[in-house]
Amino acid sequence: MDFARVAVKRLGAVVVLLLALSVLTYALLALAPGGPEQALLGDRASTPETRAAIRALYHLDEPFPVRYWEWLTGALSGDFGSSIYFRQPVLSVIGDRLPVTTTLAGFAILLTLAVGIPAGLTAGLRRGGALDQGITFSTLVALAFPPFGIALVLLYTFGVALQWVPIYGSDQISNYVLPATALALGQAAVVIRQTRAAALDVGGQDYVTFARARGLSRLRIWGGYSLRNAALPVLTVAGLLAAGNLTGAVFVEQAFSLPGLGSLLIQAVNQKDIPLVQALVLLGGAVVIAVNLLVDLAYMVVDPRVRHGASTRAEA
């Protein structure tokens, strides 16, 4: 029942946020200089009649409220229109690119968590030691380089110089090794630092000290008492990173020529493809909101105190 109440309240907020995001995006695209007819015609000579015909075809001369209302009513029925540049339904264009981005994002977050959580716990449990200092220094180095720079270094080293992995393509899992690594290095550093801080905080709690005094092993203390409490901040970071991988892997996709949603968004903006840009922005907003909702629900599963607090607020 607690989950249902929280989900209903959050879904109401989701509707409002997505509506506001759609209005803002549509308004910014309408106010931007230029128009789709310029992108379609390029440098070719055109007459005013040709440009007027293109604008009439895509209803670009209608007032902003009318255009937005037509788009909104279509979107509510599942019709996001047709791409001006690709001449295909928007959902079809996005569907062709979505598997590439989801594969890259999933691979990257798996690498991030597989490296970040064990390394962060190790550093936190061995505070001040050589291993802790080495891990902490490594995170500083990883955070100092942007994913795009890491992508270029990996691309040249392992793809061009050593030729261990393919440098382009998206039809094999090996094509995602370098892009996912480029995304995961900086993200793993964030998870390591967050996990280490959480481990240090939980390790200083009274119940952990009491458990040590009782002679319980470190494995028993962390496996049965502390790991859940240390997991809460890590859940938040992991959720934000997962959403960021799905919506913000633009530079890595560009570096490795992956035909994902990030490169599609850049192309759509350059071509002033309003229906496609609108759908991509809404998809990104929906992904971020959905991931945050899932993280909140995961909080309630991991920590009963959060569940009890949600129940109390819902009853109030």
mmCIF file of all heavy atoms in Angstrom, residues 84-125:
data_model
loop_
_atom_site.group_PDB
_atom_site.id
_atom_site.type_symbol
_atom_site.label_atom_id
_atom_site.label_comp_id
_atom_site.label_asym_id
_atom_site.label_seq_id
_atom_site.Cartn_x
_atom_site.Cartn_y
_atom_site.Cartn_z
ATOM 1 N N ILE A 84 11.252 15.553 -39.877
ATOM 2 C CA ILE A 84 11.373 16.416 -41.052
ATOM 3 C C ILE A 84 12.562 16.000 -41.914
ATOM 4 O O ILE A 84 12.482 16.010 -43.144
ATOM 5 C CB ILE A 84 11.513 17.884 -40.606
ATOM 6 C CG1 ILE A 84 10.241 18.335 -39.869
ATOM 7 C CG2 ILE A 84 11.791 18.798 -41.794
ATOM 8 C CD1 ILE A 84 10.339 19.733 -39.284
ATOM 9 N N TYR A 85 13.648 15.593 -41.288
ATOM 10 C CA TYR A 85 14.868 15.263 -42.030
ATOM 11 C C TYR A 85 14.839 13.829 -42.556
ATOM 12 O O TYR A 85 15.187 13.584 -43.717
ATOM 13 C CB TYR A 85 16.081 15.465 -41.127
ATOM 14 C CG TYR A 85 17.391 15.140 -41.786
ATOM 15 C CD1 TYR A 85 17.950 16.006 -42.730
ATOM 16 C CD2 TYR A 85 18.079 13.974 -41.482
ATOM 17 C CE1 TYR A 85 19.150 15.703 -43.345
ATOM 18 C CE2 TYR A 85 19.281 13.669 -42.090
ATOM 19 C CZ TYR A 85 19.813 14.534 -43.018
ATOM 20 O OH TYR A 85 21.007 14.235 -43.625
ATOM 21 N N PHE A 86 14.424 12.870 -41.727
ATOM 22 C CA PHE A 86 14.468 11.461 -42.126
ATOM 23 C C PHE A 86 13.227 11.020 -42.902
ATOM 24 O O PHE A 86 13.218 9.928 -43.477
ATOM 25 C CB PHE A 86 14.638 10.572 -40.887
ATOM 26 C CG PHE A 86 15.966 10.705 -40.213
ATOM 27 C CD1 PHE A 86 16.108 11.513 -39.100
ATOM 28 C CD2 PHE A 86 17.075 10.034 -40.696
ATOM 29 C CE1 PHE A 86 17.334 11.649 -38.469
ATOM 30 C CE2 PHE A 86 18.307 10.158 -40.070
ATOM 31 C CZ PHE A 86 18.432 10.970 -38.963
ATOM 32 N N ARG A 87 12.164 11.834 -42.870
ATOM 33 C CA ARG A 87 10.917 11.523 -43.564
ATOM 34 C C ARG A 87 10.337 10.187 -43.094
ATOM 35 O O ARG A 87 9.780 9.411 -43.885
ATOM 36 C CB ARG A 87 11.136 11.478 -45.082
ATOM 37 C CG ARG A 87 11.891 12.658 -45.666
ATOM 38 C CD ARG A 87 11.052 13.913 -45.690
ATOM 39 N NE ARG A 87 11.776 15.044 -46.251
ATOM 40 C CZ ARG A 87 11.834 15.316 -47.554
ATOM 41 N NH1 ARG A 87 11.225 14.534 -48.431
ATOM 42 N NH2 ARG A 87 12.496 16.376 -47.980
ATOM 43 N N GLN A 88 10.496 9.888 -41.826
ATOM 44 C CA GLN A 88 9.956 8.673 -41.219
ATOM 45 C C GLN A 88 9.265 9.039 -39.913
ATOM 46 O O GLN A 88 9.536 10.103 -39.346
ATOM 47 C CB GLN A 88 11.070 7.661 -40.930
ATOM 48 C CG GLN A 88 11.814 7.157 -42.145
ATOM 49 C CD GLN A 88 12.945 6.225 -41.752
ATOM 50 O OE1 GLN A 88 12.955 5.664 -40.661
ATOM 51 N NE2 GLN A 88 13.899 6.049 -42.656
ATOM 52 N N PRO A 89 8.367 8.174 -39.407
ATOM 53 C CA PRO A 89 7.776 8.449 -38.093
ATOM 54 C C PRO A 89 8.853 8.591 -37.024
ATOM 55 O O PRO A 89 9.846 7.854 -37.019
ATOM 56 C CB PRO A 89 6.892 7.212 -37.841
ATOM 57 C CG PRO A 89 6.575 6.692 -39.203
ATOM 58 C CD PRO A 89 7.787 6.975 -40.042
ATOM 59 N N VAL A 90 8.650 9.541 -36.125
ATOM 60 C CA VAL A 90 9.643 9.828 -35.094
ATOM 61 C C VAL A 90 9.936 8.596 -34.243
ATOM 62 O O VAL A 90 11.102 8.296 -33.944
ATOM 63 C CB VAL A 90 9.150 10.994 -34.211
ATOM 64 C CG1 VAL A 90 9.971 11.088 -32.931
ATOM 65 C CG2 VAL A 90 9.226 12.310 -34.969
ATOM 66 N N LEU A 91 8.904 7.884 -33.845
ATOM 67 C CA LEU A 91 9.105 6.699 -32.998
ATOM 68 C C LEU A 91 9.911 5.622 -33.721
ATOM 69 O O LEU A 91 10.683 4.896 -33.093
ATOM 70 C CB LEU A 91 7.760 6.139 -32.553
ATOM 71 C CG LEU A 91 6.938 7.027 -31.613
ATOM 72 C CD1 LEU A 91 5.650 6.332 -31.206
ATOM 73 C CD2 LEU A 91 7.752 7.402 -30.375
ATOM 74 N N SER A 92 9.759 5.530 -35.039
ATOM 75 C CA SER A 92 10.531 4.561 -35.804
ATOM 76 C C SER A 92 12.008 4.941 -35.837
ATOM 77 O O SER A 92 12.895 4.082 -35.682
ATOM 78 C CB SER A 92 9.981 4.468 -37.225
ATOM 79 O OG SER A 92 10.767 3.593 -38.008
ATOM 80 N N VAL A 93 12.282 6.236 -36.014
ATOM 81 C CA VAL A 93 13.675 6.706 -36.034
ATOM 82 C C VAL A 93 14.333 6.458 -34.674
ATOM 83 O O VAL A 93 15.466 5.963 -34.603
ATOM 84 C CB VAL A 93 13.727 8.202 -36.400
ATOM 85 C CG1 VAL A 93 15.163 8.718 -36.316
ATOM 86 C CG2 VAL A 93 13.162 8.437 -37.788
ATOM 87 N N ILE A 94 13.628 6.790 -33.602
ATOM 88 C CA ILE A 94 14.183 6.582 -32.258
ATOM 89 C C ILE A 94 14.352 5.099 -31.968
ATOM 90 O O ILE A 94 15.359 4.672 -31.381
ATOM 91 C CB ILE A 94 13.278 7.245 -31.202
ATOM 92 C CG1 ILE A 94 13.316 8.765 -31.372
ATOM 93 C CG2 ILE A 94 13.708 6.859 -29.789
ATOM 94 C CD1 ILE A 94 12.394 9.507 -30.436
ATOM 95 N N GLY A 95 13.381 4.293 -32.387
ATOM 96 C CA GLY A 95 13.471 2.855 -32.146
ATOM 97 C C GLY A 95 14.666 2.212 -32.806
ATOM 98 O O GLY A 95 15.243 1.245 -32.274
ATOM 99 N N ASP A 96 15.081 2.736 -33.958
ATOM 100 C CA ASP A 96 16.260 2.188 -34.634
ATOM 101 C C ASP A 96 17.546 2.486 -33.871
ATOM 102 O O ASP A 96 18.503 1.704 -33.930
ATOM 103 C CB ASP A 96 16.364 2.768 -36.050
ATOM 104 C CG ASP A 96 15.249 2.275 -36.962
ATOM 105 O OD1 ASP A 96 14.654 1.233 -36.654
ATOM 106 O OD2 ASP A 96 14.961 2.956 -37.973
ATOM 107 N N ARG A 97 17.586 3.608 -33.162
ATOM 108 C CA ARG A 97 18.810 4.021 -32.452
ATOM 109 C C ARG A 97 18.828 3.587 -30.992
ATOM 110 O O ARG A 97 19.894 3.545 -30.371
ATOM 111 C CB ARG A 97 18.941 5.547 -32.505
ATOM 112 C CG ARG A 97 18.953 6.156 -33.900
ATOM 113 C CD ARG A 97 20.226 5.835 -34.656
ATOM 114 N NE ARG A 97 20.337 6.609 -35.885
ATOM 115 C CZ ARG A 97 21.059 7.708 -36.013
ATOM 116 N NH1 ARG A 97 21.736 8.185 -34.986
ATOM 117 N NH2 ARG A 97 21.113 8.345 -37.168
ATOM 118 N N LEU A 98 17.663 3.307 -30.424
ATOM 119 C CA LEU A 98 17.573 3.039 -28.989
ATOM 120 C C LEU A 98 18.399 1.834 -28.534
ATOM 121 O O LEU A 98 19.040 1.900 -27.479
ATOM 122 C CB LEU A 98 16.105 2.855 -28.596
ATOM 123 C CG LEU A 98 15.805 2.728 -27.096
ATOM 124 C CD1 LEU A 98 16.269 3.973 -26.349
ATOM 125 C CD2 LEU A 98 14.310 2.496 -26.873
ATOM 126 N N PRO A 99 18.421 0.715 -29.268
ATOM 127 C CA PRO A 99 19.214 -0.435 -28.791
ATOM 128 C C PRO A 99 20.691 -0.118 -28.604
ATOM 129 O O PRO A 99 21.333 -0.653 -27.686
ATOM 130 C CB PRO A 99 18.998 -1.484 -29.892
ATOM 131 C CG PRO A 99 17.693 -1.126 -30.507
ATOM 132 C CD PRO A 99 17.640 0.369 -30.478
ATOM 133 N N VAL A 100 21.244 0.735 -29.447
ATOM 134 C CA VAL A 100 22.662 1.084 -29.318
ATOM 135 C C VAL A 100 22.921 1.813 -27.999
ATOM 136 O O VAL A 100 23.858 1.472 -27.251
ATOM 137 C CB VAL A 100 23.106 1.963 -30.504
ATOM 138 C CG1 VAL A 100 24.544 2.440 -30.305
ATOM 139 C CG2 VAL A 100 22.981 1.202 -31.804
ATOM 140 N N THR A 101 22.076 2.794 -27.687
ATOM 141 C CA THR A 101 22.266 3.571 -26.462
ATOM 142 C C THR A 101 22.007 2.729 -25.222
ATOM 143 O O THR A 101 22.742 2.830 -24.229
ATOM 144 C CB THR A 101 21.341 4.802 -26.478
ATOM 145 O OG1 THR A 101 21.718 5.648 -27.570
ATOM 146 C CG2 THR A 101 21.456 5.584 -25.183
ATOM 147 N N THR A 102 20.963 1.901 -25.236
ATOM 148 C CA THR A 102 20.678 1.071 -24.058
ATOM 149 C C THR A 102 21.776 0.043 -23.820
ATOM 150 O O THR A 102 22.130 -0.233 -22.675
ATOM 151 C CB THR A 102 19.322 0.369 -24.216
ATOM 152 O OG1 THR A 102 19.287 -0.350 -25.459
ATOM 153 C CG2 THR A 102 18.183 1.368 -24.192
ATOM 154 N N THR A 103 22.326 -0.513 -24.888
ATOM 155 C CA THR A 103 23.437 -1.465 -24.723
ATOM 156 C C THR A 103 24.653 -0.778 -24.129
ATOM 157 O O THR A 103 25.294 -1.299 -23.194
ATOM 158 C CB THR A 103 23.798 -2.104 -26.077
ATOM 159 O OG1 THR A 103 22.653 -2.762 -26.619
ATOM 160 C CG2 THR A 103 24.921 -3.123 -25.902
ATOM 161 N N LEU A 104 25.000 0.379 -24.666
ATOM 162 C CA LEU A 104 26.140 1.133 -24.144
ATOM 163 C C LEU A 104 25.914 1.530 -22.692
ATOM 164 O O LEU A 104 26.810 1.375 -21.843
ATOM 165 C CB LEU A 104 26.365 2.374 -25.003
ATOM 166 C CG LEU A 104 27.435 3.362 -24.516
ATOM 167 C CD1 LEU A 104 28.792 2.692 -24.440
ATOM 168 C CD2 LEU A 104 27.481 4.589 -25.429
ATOM 169 N N ALA A 105 24.727 2.045 -22.384
ATOM 170 C CA ALA A 105 24.433 2.485 -21.020
ATOM 171 C C ALA A 105 24.453 1.329 -20.040
ATOM 172 O O ALA A 105 24.995 1.434 -18.929
ATOM 173 C CB ALA A 105 23.080 3.185 -20.990
ATOM 174 N N GLY A 106 23.856 0.203 -20.422
ATOM 175 C CA GLY A 106 23.838 -0.956 -19.530
ATOM 176 C C GLY A 106 25.218 -1.522 -19.279
ATOM 177 O O GLY A 106 25.578 -1.855 -18.137
ATOM 178 N N PHE A 107 26.006 -1.638 -20.332
ATOM 179 C CA PHE A 107 27.376 -2.144 -20.211
ATOM 180 C C PHE A 107 28.193 -1.224 -19.309
ATOM 181 O O PHE A 107 28.938 -1.684 -18.422
ATOM 182 C CB PHE A 107 28.000 -2.241 -21.594
ATOM 183 C CG PHE A 107 29.213 -3.124 -21.676
ATOM 184 C CD1 PHE A 107 29.794 -3.402 -22.907
ATOM 185 C CD2 PHE A 107 29.784 -3.674 -20.542
ATOM 186 C CE1 PHE A 107 30.918 -4.204 -23.001
ATOM 187 C CE2 PHE A 107 30.913 -4.485 -20.624
ATOM 188 C CZ PHE A 107 31.477 -4.745 -21.850
ATOM 189 N N ALA A 108 28.052 0.084 -19.502
ATOM 190 C CA ALA A 108 28.834 1.046 -18.720
ATOM 191 C C ALA A 108 28.462 1.011 -17.243
ATOM 192 O O ALA A 108 29.339 1.059 -16.367
ATOM 193 C CB ALA A 108 28.634 2.453 -19.278
ATOM 194 N N ILE A 109 27.166 0.938 -16.928
ATOM 195 C CA ILE A 109 26.776 0.952 -15.517
ATOM 196 C C ILE A 109 27.173 -0.348 -14.828
ATOM 197 O O ILE A 109 27.517 -0.350 -13.637
ATOM 198 C CB ILE A 109 25.262 1.237 -15.366
ATOM 199 C CG1 ILE A 109 24.952 1.707 -13.941
ATOM 200 C CG2 ILE A 109 24.436 0.028 -15.705
ATOM 201 C CD1 ILE A 109 25.572 3.011 -13.562
ATOM 202 N N LEU A 110 27.161 -1.467 -15.562
ATOM 203 C CA LEU A 110 27.630 -2.728 -14.979
ATOM 204 C C LEU A 110 29.118 -2.645 -14.638
ATOM 205 O O LEU A 110 29.548 -3.076 -13.553
ATOM 206 C CB LEU A 110 27.371 -3.884 -15.948
ATOM 207 C CG LEU A 110 25.926 -4.365 -16.063
ATOM 208 C CD1 LEU A 110 25.816 -5.463 -17.126
ATOM 209 C CD2 LEU A 110 25.408 -4.882 -14.719
ATOM 210 N N LEU A 111 29.918 -2.105 -15.569
ATOM 211 C CA LEU A 111 31.345 -1.919 -15.287
ATOM 212 C C LEU A 111 31.552 -0.973 -14.109
ATOM 213 O O LEU A 111 32.406 -1.215 -13.243
ATOM 214 C CB LEU A 111 32.049 -1.371 -16.527
ATOM 215 C CG LEU A 111 32.266 -2.318 -17.703
ATOM 216 C CD1 LEU A 111 32.886 -1.562 -18.873
ATOM 217 C CD2 LEU A 111 33.144 -3.491 -17.298
ATOM 218 N N THR A 112 30.755 0.090 -14.066
ATOM 219 C CA THR A 112 30.893 1.086 -13.005
ATOM 220 C C THR A 112 30.655 0.464 -11.635
ATOM 221 O O THR A 112 31.458 0.646 -10.705
ATOM 222 C CB THR A 112 29.897 2.233 -13.234
ATOM 223 O OG1 THR A 112 30.215 2.887 -14.464
ATOM 224 C CG2 THR A 112 29.956 3.232 -12.100
ATOM 225 N N LEU A 113 29.566 -0.269 -11.496
ATOM 226 C CA LEU A 113 29.225 -0.853 -10.196
ATOM 227 C C LEU A 113 30.144 -2.018 -9.846
ATOM 228 O O LEU A 113 30.495 -2.202 -8.675
ATOM 229 C CB LEU A 113 27.771 -1.320 -10.206
ATOM 230 C CG LEU A 113 26.728 -0.218 -10.416
ATOM 231 C CD1 LEU A 113 25.323 -0.800 -10.428
ATOM 232 C CD2 LEU A 113 26.846 0.859 -9.344
ATOM 233 N N ALA A 114 30.530 -2.802 -10.849
ATOM 234 C CA ALA A 114 31.399 -3.950 -10.587
ATOM 235 C C ALA A 114 32.764 -3.511 -10.069
ATOM 236 O O ALA A 114 33.401 -4.212 -9.268
ATOM 237 C CB ALA A 114 31.562 -4.787 -11.852
ATOM 238 N N VAL A 115 33.223 -2.352 -10.508
ATOM 239 C CA VAL A 115 34.514 -1.832 -10.052
ATOM 240 C C VAL A 115 34.334 -0.907 -8.849
ATOM 241 O O VAL A 115 35.083 -0.986 -7.867
ATOM 242 C CB VAL A 115 35.231 -1.080 -11.194
ATOM 243 C CG1 VAL A 115 36.499 -0.389 -10.686
ATOM 244 C CG2 VAL A 115 35.560 -2.034 -12.332
ATOM 245 N N GLY A 116 33.346 -0.040 -8.906
ATOM 246 C CA GLY A 116 33.219 1.024 -7.918
ATOM 247 C C GLY A 116 32.853 0.563 -6.527
ATOM 248 O O GLY A 116 33.446 1.018 -5.534
ATOM 249 N N ILE A 117 31.891 -0.340 -6.407
ATOM 250 C CA ILE A 117 31.435 -0.748 -5.074
ATOM 251 C C ILE A 117 32.502 -1.551 -4.322
ATOM 252 O O ILE A 117 32.832 -1.217 -3.175
ATOM 253 C CB ILE A 117 30.102 -1.520 -5.176
ATOM 254 C CG1 ILE A 117 28.994 -0.570 -5.647
ATOM 255 C CG2 ILE A 117 29.735 -2.152 -3.840
ATOM 256 C CD1 ILE A 117 27.660 -1.246 -5.850
ATOM 257 N N PRO A 118 33.076 -2.616 -4.913
ATOM 258 C CA PRO A 118 34.137 -3.335 -4.175
ATOM 259 C C PRO A 118 35.336 -2.451 -3.839
ATOM 260 O O PRO A 118 35.878 -2.518 -2.727
ATOM 261 C CB PRO A 118 34.526 -4.466 -5.130
ATOM 262 C CG PRO A 118 33.359 -4.632 -6.036
ATOM 263 C CD PRO A 118 32.785 -3.266 -6.205
ATOM 264 N N ALA A 119 35.756 -1.616 -4.789
ATOM 265 C CA ALA A 119 36.916 -0.754 -4.524
ATOM 266 C C ALA A 119 36.605 0.271 -3.443
ATOM 267 O O ALA A 119 37.448 0.561 -2.577
ATOM 268 C CB ALA A 119 37.345 -0.050 -5.809
ATOM 269 N N GLY A 120 35.391 0.836 -3.453
ATOM 270 C CA GLY A 120 35.020 1.806 -2.426
ATOM 271 C C GLY A 120 34.940 1.190 -1.051
ATOM 272 O O GLY A 120 35.392 1.785 -0.055
ATOM 273 N N LEU A 121 34.358 -0.006 -0.960
ATOM 274 C CA LEU A 121 34.298 -0.694 0.337
ATOM 275 C C LEU A 121 35.698 -1.057 0.834
ATOM 276 O O LEU A 121 36.001 -0.912 2.027
ATOM 277 C CB LEU A 121 33.445 -1.962 0.214
ATOM 278 C CG LEU A 121 31.938 -1.768 0.123
ATOM 279 C CD1 LEU A 121 31.241 -3.101 -0.132
ATOM 280 C CD2 LEU A 121 31.396 -1.129 1.396
ATOM 281 N N THR A 122 36.546 -1.510 -0.072
ATOM 282 C CA THR A 122 37.919 -1.854 0.322
ATOM 283 C C THR A 122 38.655 -0.633 0.857
ATOM 284 O O THR A 122 39.340 -0.707 1.892
ATOM 285 C CB THR A 122 38.672 -2.439 -0.882
ATOM 286 O OG1 THR A 122 37.990 -3.596 -1.357
ATOM 287 C CG2 THR A 122 40.094 -2.819 -0.487
ATOM 288 N N ALA A 123 38.508 0.494 0.174
ATOM 289 C CA ALA A 123 39.171 1.716 0.626
ATOM 290 C C ALA A 123 38.614 2.178 1.965
ATOM 291 O O ALA A 123 39.365 2.627 2.842
ATOM 292 C CB ALA A 123 38.999 2.816 -0.426
ATOM 293 N N GLY A 124 37.287 2.062 2.159
ATOM 294 C CA GLY A 124 36.697 2.496 3.414
ATOM 295 C C GLY A 124 37.070 1.616 4.589
ATOM 296 O O GLY A 124 37.270 2.105 5.710
ATOM 297 N N LEU A 125 37.182 0.316 4.338
ATOM 298 C CA LEU A 125 37.522 -0.609 5.421
ATOM 299 C C LEU A 125 38.999 -0.569 5.771
ATOM 300 O O LEU A 125 39.387 -1.009 6.857
ATOM 301 C CB LEU A 125 37.133 -2.037 5.022
ATOM 302 C CG LEU A 125 35.623 -2.296 4.871
ATOM 303 C CD1 LEU A 125 35.372 -3.707 4.375
ATOM 304 C CD2 LEU A 125 34.920 -2.063 6.204
#
